Amino acid sequence: MVEFDDAFRRQLRELFVWRRDVRRFRTDPLPDGAVERLIDTACLSPSVGLSQPWRFVIVDDASRRRAVIDDFKACNADALACYSGERAARYAALKLSGLEQAPGHLAVFADKASDIGHGLGRATMPETTEYSVVGAITAMWLAARADGIGLGWVSILNPQRIHDVLDVPASWKFIAYLCIGYPEAECDQPELERAKWEHRRDASEFTLRR
Ligand SMILES: Cc1cc2c(cc1C)N(C[C@H](O)[C@H](O)[C@H](O)COP(=O)(O)O)c1[nH]c(=O)[nH]c(=O)c1N2
């Protein structure tokens, strides 16, 4: 039996407060096995029917990385074109990926065809497969921060293109592309808030009682 004390709870809260989506990375490499250990921790996450539908692809190959970066640039240009005026100028000024600098690239997929879990919990809500993978990514995000490692989620990508670049099975649905490395700086405020793009709102704004 494990008990967690007040000191641990305070530290855990600090972990949540100081976890960041990181886009500005130092280029020095991570220790051997660091990404594998994060994957190991992520695999402790809850999953529908204990299906463990997460699939991880560590992307080391330089030409595949370059193809992902090129896809990000194309998708980001398309995204910019959807804005106009001052909002466009603000969007253009944002840094929305650390793909060029991050020493670690990790793609995460959900296996929609796996028999693991025997379909439990998925009959009426097949999307719980993807929910399970997102939960695992959140666990990895926090575990990384506890190790002093930054993680940045990049979704400004064409899923089919990433699928092709990484040559993964057709049943794998693309969920996330993660940049992993040591952050240039630590902060307790989201970068989008510091850039005055959006601000974090209080929980009461999102909570109803019925
Ligand atoms: C599903 C999903 C997808 C993305 C993100 C997050 C999530 C959950 N975020 C990070 C996002 O901007 C960030 O989490 C918020 O701005 C809050 O900041 P902190 O994570 O608290 O630092 C993100 N950030 C970014 O710079 N480029 C991106 O493409 C994305 N995509």
Side-chain angles (χ1 to χ4, degrees):
M1 162 95 169
V2 178
E3 284 207 31
F4 301 105
D5 60 13
D6 284 345
F8 175 81
R9 279 186 281 276
R10 273 195 298 278
Q11 283 234 296
L12 184 61
R13 170 77 188 177
E14 288 298 287
L15 179 62
F16 279 75
V17 169
W18 284 88
R19 180 211 53 79
R20 283 283 69 74
D21 182 71
V22 175
R23 294 113 177 174
R24 298 167 200 276
F25 292 94
R26 297 183 351 221
T27 53
D28 46 313
L30 292 163
D32 281 349
V35 172
E36 289 83 350
R37 282 192 291 279
L38 292 176
I39 293 171
D40 195 57
T41 300
C43 290
L44 298 174
S45 299
S47 61
V48 62
L50 193 51
S51 57
Q52 297 194 271
W54 37 72
R55 303 291 180 265
F56 301 95
V57 179
I58 298 172
V59 184
D60 287 332
D61 180 75
S63 62
R64 292 188 209 263
R65 282 187 179 216
R66 178 47 53 193
V68 172
I69 291 169
D70 290 346
D71 186 56
F72 167 76
K73 285 181 178 164
C75 292
N76 204 32
D78 290 348
L80 172 59
C82 297
Y83 297 104
S84 60
E86 198 215 322
R87 189 52 74 178
R90 280 187 186 215
Y91 186 88
L94 296 172
K95 179 163 173 57
L96 294 172
S97 98
L99 288 166
E100 307 258 12
Q101 303 80 28
H105 281 206
L106 181 67
V108 190
F109 296 83
D111 187 353
K112 300 291 291 178
S114 170
D115 286 337
I116 302 174
H118 311 288
L120 190 154
R122 280 180 277 164
T124 55
M125 293 186 67
E127 65 274 24
T128 48
T129 301
E130 289 93 319
Y131 297 167
S132 302
V133 177
V134 174
I137 294 169
T138 303
M140 176 182 280
W141 216 329
L142 291 161
R145 180 62 188 83
D147 285 343
I149 295 171
L151 187 151
W153 185 323
V154 185
S155 57
I156 305 166
L157 293 168
N158 177 328
Q160 187 57 53
R161 176 86 186 115
I162 301 305
H163 208 278
D164 294 345
V165 165
L166 299 181
D167 190 22
V168 292
S171 64
W172 290 17
K173 181 173 175 188
F174 176 62
I175 303 294
Y177 200 90
L178 306 176
C179 298
I180 306 178
Y182 291 113
E184 277 185 359
E186 306 290 4
C187 191
D188 62 355
Q189 194 183 18
E191 181 153 338
L192 290 186
E193 193 166 75
R194 278 178 285 149
K196 303 200 183 321
W197 176 267
E198 188 53 274
H199 64 278
R200 198 158 42 189
R201 294 147 203 266
D202 190 81
S204 61
E205 284 197 44
F206 309 118
T207 311
L208 293 179
R209 280 187 201 278
R210 288 285 187 268

